[in-house]
Amino acid sequence: MRSPGVHLLAPNVVLHVMEAAQPGPTLLFQAGIHGDEIAGVHALEELLEEGFTPRRGRLLVCPVMNPGAYRARKRPATVRGLWSGLDLNRCFPGDASAPEHEKRLARIFMDLVLEERPALVCTLHESTKRFHPDVKPSFGQTLVYGVDPMPAVIGRAVDRLNACKQSDEETWAPQYYPVPTSSTEVIVDAIGCVGICVETWMGFPEERRIDMQKEVVSILKDEMS
Ligand SMILES: [Zn+2]
């Protein structure tokens, strides 16, 4: 297990590790696996600035999983330097000896979860499409899971999010949508944790999307620790 403080998973992939005095579960929040989905990155950065700490157990926070894509503000990184333009969220479990940087990076995240065994892995995404149960795929505003049955915490979190929504457009729903080779699904299969992809709709103003993602992270932290 990594000591409290700031660790580098790669020269520019930062992992914040925080530990409470009281023992408890380890929760991992991460964002920026898709570089054009910025609300989660900014939500985690703001929470860190505001003193995001665990009540019990440990918190691991990686605000920018895919720096090449984030710099390009594109879903995968632009083909440039080390980057091959692969969707990092389709590269799991990764390969330490692969020629593609994205596959090596995926392996680093896999090794992190195998070492830390978090109870929750929550990855923050955004979607261009509003969620509609009849339209697949459509994601915003949903808490997405890929392994049945739905983790109970998702139902509780959706109820709490809907209790503080500012309009009916912001209504949250759970969504079962397995994606093979996605970080969440491969990690859940490997360690049996709760895996959640948070998706907000990009049609909302940026500040509101960031606030909603902060609410999700805070509620999940509260529910799971
Ligand atoms: Zn995404």
Side-chain angles (χ1 to χ4, degrees), residues 25-219:
T26 296
L27 311 181
L28 170 59
F29 292 98
Q30 51 193 18
I33 196 168
H34 293 142
D36 56 337
E37 302 169 12
I38 61 154
V41 174
H42 297 193
L44 292 180
E45 297 277 8
E46 288 190 15
L47 285 166
L48 288 165
E49 283 168 4
E50 292 163 9
F52 193 52
T53 46
R55 192 170 46 187
R56 296 190 301 125
R58 291 155 55 78
L59 270 180
L60 310 183
V61 178
C62 179
V64 185
M65 295 177 77
N66 187 344
Y70 185 65
R71 287 197 300 273
R73 293 294 193 276
K74 294 205 161 72
R75 183 180 176 88
T78 306
V79 179
R80 179 180 165 79
L82 294 179
W83 301 92
S84 302
L86 296 179
D87 183 339
L88 179 58
N89 206 32
R90 300 290 183 279
C91 289
F92 281 75
D95 178 352
S97 57
E100 298 93 348
H101 189 50
E102 290 87 343
K103 290 184 181 171
R104 297 196 301 271
L105 203 46
R107 190 64 237 176
I108 289 170
F109 288 112
M110 273 315 287
D111 290 342
L112 172 72
V113 296
L114 291 173
E115 178 191 336
E116 294 283 352
R117 301 267 157 179
L120 169 73
V121 173
C122 174
T123 309
L124 306 178
H125 290 257
E126 292 203 273
S127 170
T128 55
K129 287 186 193 154
R130 294 291 306 278
F131 175 64
H132 189 287
D134 299 334
V135 179
K136 297 227 174 197
S138 66
F139 292 108
Q141 322 280 94
T142 52
L143 300 187
V144 184
Y145 59 101
V147 178
D148 252 342
M150 181 180 84
V153 67
I154 291 184
R156 299 197 301 273
V158 164
D159 287 347
R160 285 180 64 176
L161 286 162
N162 285 333
C164 56
K165 68 186 178 189
Q166 292 186 353
S167 71
D168 284 343
E169 280 198 310
E170 292 187 2
T171 302
W172 289 83
Q175 181 169 199
Y176 173 63
Y177 194 85
V179 180
T181 74
S182 77
S183 57
T184 310
E185 206 162 332
V186 173
I187 290 169
V188 169
D189 280 348
I191 65 169
C193 64
V194 173
I196 302 175
C197 285
V198 174
E199 296 269 4
T200 46
W201 178 51
M202 287 180 179
F204 293 117
E206 185 176 306
E207 287 196 357
R208 182 64 192 141
R209 284 146 50 198
I210 294 167
D211 283 343
M212 284 190 282
Q213 299 239 351
K214 287 170 76 177
E215 281 167 15
V216 177
V217 170
S218 299
I219 286 170

